[in-house]
Amino acid sequence: MRKIVFIPITLILLFCLVTACKKVIHIDLNTASPKIVIEGNIYDRAGPFAVKIFKSVNFDASNVYPPVSGAIVKISDTSGYSDVLTEKLPGLYVTSFIMGIPGETYTLTVNAEGQTYTASSTMPEPVDIGKVYFQNSFFGNTIYPGVNFVDPPNINNYYRLLYSVNNAPNSEINVTDDRLSEGKTITYLIRPADTDVKLKAGDNVTVWLESIDQGVYEYFRTAGREGGQSASPANPTSNISNGALGYFNACSLRARSAIVP
Amino acid sequence: MRKATKLIIFLFLISVLPLYSQQKLTISGQIKDAQTGEDLIGAVLSVKELPLKSIASNAYGFYSMTLPSGAYEITAQYTGYKPVVEKVILDKSLRINFKLSEQSKNLEEVVVYGRRKDENVTKTVMGFQRLNTKEIKNIPVLFGEKDLLKTIQLLPGIQAVGEGRSGFNVRGGAADQNLILLDEATVYNASHLMGFFSVFNSDAIKDISIFKGNEPSEYGGRLSSVLDIKMNDGNDKKFGVSGGIGLISSRVEIEGPIIKDRGSFIISARRTYADMFLALSKDTSLNQARLYFYDLNAKANYRIDEKNRIYLSGYFGKDVLGFGNTFGINWGNATTTLRWNHLFSNRLFSNTSLIFSNYDYKININSGVKMNIISRIQDYSLKQDFQYFGGANSTLKFGFNEVYHRIIPGAITAISNVSLKSLTNKYAMEHALYISHMYNLSDRLSVEYGVRLSLFNLLGPGTFNTYDSSGQVVDAVKFSSGQSVKSYFNPEPRLTLNYVLNQQNSLKAAYSRNVQNLHLLSNSTSGNPTDLWIPSSNNVKAETSDQVSTGFYHNFNENKYEFSAEVYYKNLQNQIDYKNGAELNFNDNVESQILTGIGRAYGLEMFLKKKYGRFNGWISYTLSRTERKFDAINQGNYFPARQDRTHDISVVGMYELSRRWSLSATWVYYTGNAVTFPSGKYNIDGKTMFYYKDRNANRMPSYHRLDLGATWLRKKTARFESSWTFSLYNAYGHDNPYMINFQDSKTDPSRTEAVQTTLFKFIPSFTYNFKF
C-alpha cells in the first residue's frame, strides 16, 4: 500500500530529475563510536544457521567491517533445546544441531565485549509462492518482477521478499503485511530503487518469500524507510536488546524461479 | 484570565462611551479605482485640518470617519494612484465615494503617495506585510510564472521550505501552521506540482496581506501566520480580456460589468501544457503520461443599493498525474464564498459570509489490483464580522465564526483483489467569538487589543482510542453521531502597542496567543499531496503559541525609504513529530505514531525598502533560531527544527530603464536546513546501512541564487497592450542541493559517497502578455 501511495511522488521526482543533475560531494559528517551489529537467521529446516557479529565504521572509512571475535553466542527454543554456536570465521558463528520448526520461538543470546544482547523471534507457518510474473513499468520500459501468494486467513502475516537475477542476489529491502489484504491473494511488484540493474528477456529470476514475525517486519519496514525523502531518518527498530544494530529472524522460506519472457 | 477580560471590557467602555455623548458627524463611502471600479483596500484618507487623524478603507473599500462639524480638505491616497482631494462642508453626515486614477507611467521621478505614506511608522500593527499584485509583477520567478507565494518568501521572517518544495515557514513555524485564506476560504494545499507553483494565479489576485503571528483577533486557527488573499472584483465599467502565453502555461482573464457601475464579474483561468508535448512523443511510456494542472478563479459582485452588496467568489484547481488507464492521481482545492455587506448605519459595517472549502485527492489504480481511494477535508463555515467606526480615534471589530469540518481520510471504492477498508471519517466543530479594538490613547500612543475565544469540538460517530506512549490502545470509547468526544477551549488574547516618537520613528510591541486544532501529518522533506490533516483529539492536543515581539520603525528621505527591525520570541506547546519509522499512510491508528513536544523560536528581522522612483526594491535579513524538544528524540534535549535557519537574506531590485524596458533582479542566500546525515555505516545482508546518531545534527550546504528579469512593453494604446517578459532563474548556475543521498560508490564498491541532486540551473523563460 505504501508503495502505491508513493508512486506519484516517485513520478514527479522522475519528471524533475530529467532536468536535474547529480554530483558526488564531500561532506564532513559526524563520527560515531563503533556499534555492534548482529545479524542472525533461522529457517524452517535443518541447520546449520549463521549469526554474524560485526562493528559499524565511520562513513568515510572503506566498507570493511571489523568482526567481533570471541563472543559467546547461544540460540535456544521453547522445547528446551539450546545450541552454543561455534566461531567458524572471525565474526561468523554457526549452529550445530538446532532445527527450524514453524511455531517455535527462538531466543538468541550474545555475550560480547562484556555486554549481553538478546532477541527472540517466532517462526510463522510457511506461505507458498503462487507465481512469479513480470510487468513493465509506467515509465522507462523497465521490467519489474512480481509474485502472488495467498495470505492465510484470520492471523496477522508479515512477509519479506528477496530475489536474485541469474544467481546474483539483490540486497534491497522489500517487506509487506496483510493489513490491507487479509486472507486474500497478495500481489507484490518489486520495484528496485537501483535502476541501473535492468531485467532483460532470458534472465533467470528467483524470488524468496520469507514469512516473518512482527518484530522482524518492523525492523525491515523501518530499515526500508531510510533515504532521501524522509524528514527524519533514523536507525531501524531492532528486535535485539541493549542497543545492538541488526536483527534476529526466525522465518519460513519458500522460493520460486521464472525466466523473463 | 478573568482579570484580563474585565480589563478589556473596561478599556472598551471608556473608549467607546464618550463617542455617544458627543455630537459628531460622519463621512463614509467607498474608495475605488476610477477606471475599473475595483475597491481599493487599505487606501488612506487624511484630513488636512487634523493632521493626526487618518483612516484606511477596509477589505471592501469602505471607510467611515467621524469628525466635529466644520469645513475640511480630505485627501484619498493609494500606492500607484494619483491622490484625490475633496473639500467638504460637514454640516450633516455625508456619503462620498472617492475614485482614484492610476498614476500614468512616467519617467519623471514623481512622488507617489503611499497608502498612508508613513504607514510603516504609524500603523498599530507588527509583523505585517502587504503586497499588491502590481508591485510584484516585474520580479523574476521560475518559468516566468509570477507567483505571490514565492514573492512573499523574499520578505523577512518568511522562508521558503526549499526549492521545488511546497510551503513556507514563518518565524520558525511548520508549513501547516500558516492559515491561507482566499476570499476568506481556507486553502489547505497551496501548491501545484509539488510546490513548483502556487495555486494562486496572480492575475486573479488583488491584494495579499501576511501577519506573522500577530494577527488581529478576527483571525485564528493557525499558530504561525495568516496569509489573507483577496481576489479581484472585476471591471464594472467595461469588458476586457487579458492573458499570457508562456513556456509552461497560458492564462486568460475576462472581466466586465454585470450592470454598469453596479456589479461586475471576473473569470481567470490557467493551464499548464507540458503533457501536450508528452503526447507527441513516440515513446509509449511518455505519450500516455498525464501531467498538468489548471486553475479557475471566478468572482461576481452586485450592489443592490447603497447599503447592501453581495459577492460570490470561487476557486477551483486541480493537478492531474497519471499513466494511461493503469494509474492516476489528481488533487486540488475548491472554495466558494458568498458574502453580504450591509451598512447598519454609516458607522456600523457588517459582513456575513458563507464559506465552503474542499481539498481532496483521488487515486485510481488499475494494474493487478483495482481500487479508487478518495481523501478529502471539507469546511462549511459561517462568519459574521462587524466593524464599528467610533471616530478617527477608535475602531471596534467584533463577530463570530462557526466552522464544521468533515475529514474523509481515505474512502475506498471500486475494489478488487485488495481488502482495503475505508478509514474512519472525522468530524469537528470550531466556534470562535472575537472582539478587537483599535484605539488612540494619545497622539503618540495607540493600542489594538482584543481577544478571541475559541472552542474546538471533536464529534462522533466512531470509536475513539487513547494511546499510551508506546502506541498501545489503553482506552476505546464509542460515540454516536454528533456527540462531543473531546473539546478544547482557549482564550487567545492579542495586544499591539505603537508609540510614535515623531513623524519618522516609532516603537511597537506586541503579544499574541494562537491556537491550532488541525494538524498536517507530513514526514517527508518535500511535502506530498497525500499528506493528511487530522483534528485535535484525545491524543493530539491543541497546539498553542505565545509570541512577544518588539520593533523599531523608521522612515526617511520623505518616506521614500522605510526601515524596520523587529525581534520576536515564541513559545510553542503541543508540537507534533513522529516516531521512528512512523506509518502515516492509510493507518486508522495514525495518532499512535505521533510524538508531542514543545518548541521555541526567536529571531531578528530587518527590512529596508525603497518604495518609489525608477529604482525601487528591498533588502531583507533574518537572523533566527528554531528548536523543538521531544522526550523521545535526542535524549529529550532541544534540537534544531528542520526549518531552523541562521541567516536568510533577500535582495530585490527593480529598475525602469526606459518607457518600454524595465529590469529586475533578486538574490537570495540562506543557511541550509537542519538535517540528519549518517554518522556511521554497517552491512546487513549485503546492503550498506547507515547509522544515525542525533536528529537534525547536520546542515544542508547554504543556498544562494540570482534571478534576472526584463519586461518589454511592446505596444500600449488605449485599446491594446502587449508585453514580453523574460527571466533567467539561477543566473550564475550555482549548484543548490535539492537533496543529498548517501550510497555505495558506483565507481569504487569498497566506499560510500554522498551524492547531491540539483534541480534548476540557468532556467530561461519568456511569456507574452496581452490586454484589450
Side-chain angles (χ1 to χ4, degrees), chain B residues 400-414:
Chain B
F400 65 87
N401 188 8
E402 297 287 320
V403 190
Y404 178 67
H405 300 287
R406 180 163 166 252
I407 301 172
I408 301 171
I412 311 291
T413 55

Side-chain angles (χ1 to χ4, degrees), chain B residues 22 24 88 98 106 125 192 215 224 269 301 345 372 377 393 473 511 583 606 617 625-626 666 690 703 726 747 770:
Chain B
Q22 288 171 22
K24 287 186 170 178
V88 298
F98 286 89
N106 198 328
V125 65
H192 280 308
E215 47 268 20
S224 296
N301 74 91
S345 75
N372 294 338
I377 177 165
N393 283 330
V473 177
Y511 163 76
E583 182 56 85
M606 294 205 276
R625 175 151 291 243
T626 302
T666 58
F690 297 110
Y703 180 102
F726 307 92
T747 50
F770 62 87

Side-chain angles (χ1 to χ4, degrees), chain A residues 4 39 60-61 63 160 179, chain B residues 365 582 586 681 685 750-751:
Chain A
I4 293 166
E39 187 187 351
D60 295 333
N63 296 349
R160 177 180 178 213
R179 187 165 60 102
Chain B
I365 296 157
F586 236 85
K681 62 183 173 183
D685 267 350
S750 73
R751 304 207 74 89

Side-chain angles (χ1 to χ4, degrees), chain B residues 321-423:
Chain B
L321 189 74
F323 182 78
N325 52 13
T326 52
F327 170 78
I329 175 171
N330 67 65
W331 67 93
N333 300 278
T335 70
T336 311
T337 311
L338 176 64
R339 288 190 279 200
W340 171 43
N341 283 181
H342 178 67
L343 279 180
F344 281 97
S345 75
N346 53 18
R347 290 164 73 171
L348 182 61
F349 178 90
S350 152
N351 177 62
T352 311
S353 300
L354 287 173
I355 306 155
F356 169 73
S357 164
N358 179 77
Y359 172 72
D360 61 28
Y361 69 82
K362 294 188 189 86
I363 299 173
N364 58 70
I365 296 157
N366 190 1
S367 89
V369 298
K370 183 168 181 255
M371 70 177 158
N372 294 338
I373 306 172
I374 296 172
S375 173
R376 53 170 42 120
I377 177 165
Q378 286 182 332
D379 290 358
Y380 299 86
S381 165
L382 166 68
K383 194 161 176 276
Q384 175 60 54
D385 302 304
F386 292 102
Q387 206 173 352
Y388 181 78
F389 297 89
N393 283 330
S394 169
T395 306
L396 186 69
K397 290 190 253 181
F398 55 99
F400 65 87
N401 188 8
E402 297 287 320
V403 190
Y404 178 67
H405 300 287
R406 180 163 166 252
I407 301 172
I408 301 171
I412 311 291
T413 55
I415 194 162
S416 77
N417 220 352
V418 242
S419 68
L420 202 52
K421 280 192 220 82
S422 294
L423 298 177

Side-chain angles (χ1 to χ4, degrees), chain B residues 594-644:
Chain B
I594 285 169
L595 300 172
T596 303
I598 60 171
R600 63 186 179 194
Y602 45 93
L604 163 71
E605 295 167 359
M606 294 205 276
F607 188 56
L608 174 67
K609 185 176 186 180
K610 182 169 185 289
K611 288 154 75 181
Y612 314 117
R614 281 174 71 173
F615 177 74
N616 61 67
W618 67 78
I619 300 170
S620 106
Y621 172 69
T622 309
L623 174 71
S624 65
R625 175 151 291 243
T626 302
E627 294 171 315
R628 297 287 185 269
K629 188 174 182 291
F630 291 81
D631 288 341
I633 302 173
N634 293 4
Q635 302 85 44
N637 295 318
Y638 271 108
F639 66 94
R642 205 193 326 167
Q643 63 268 30
D644 177 55

Side-chain angles (χ1 to χ4, degrees), chain B residues 63-87:
Chain B
Y63 75 94
S64 169
M65 182 154 51
T66 300
L67 303 168
S69 57
Y72 296 105
E73 191 178 305
I74 296 172
T75 309
Q77 303 165 348
Y78 188 72
T79 309
Y81 286 73
K82 278 183 268 189
V84 168
V85 182
E86 287 266 354
K87 287 187 174 146

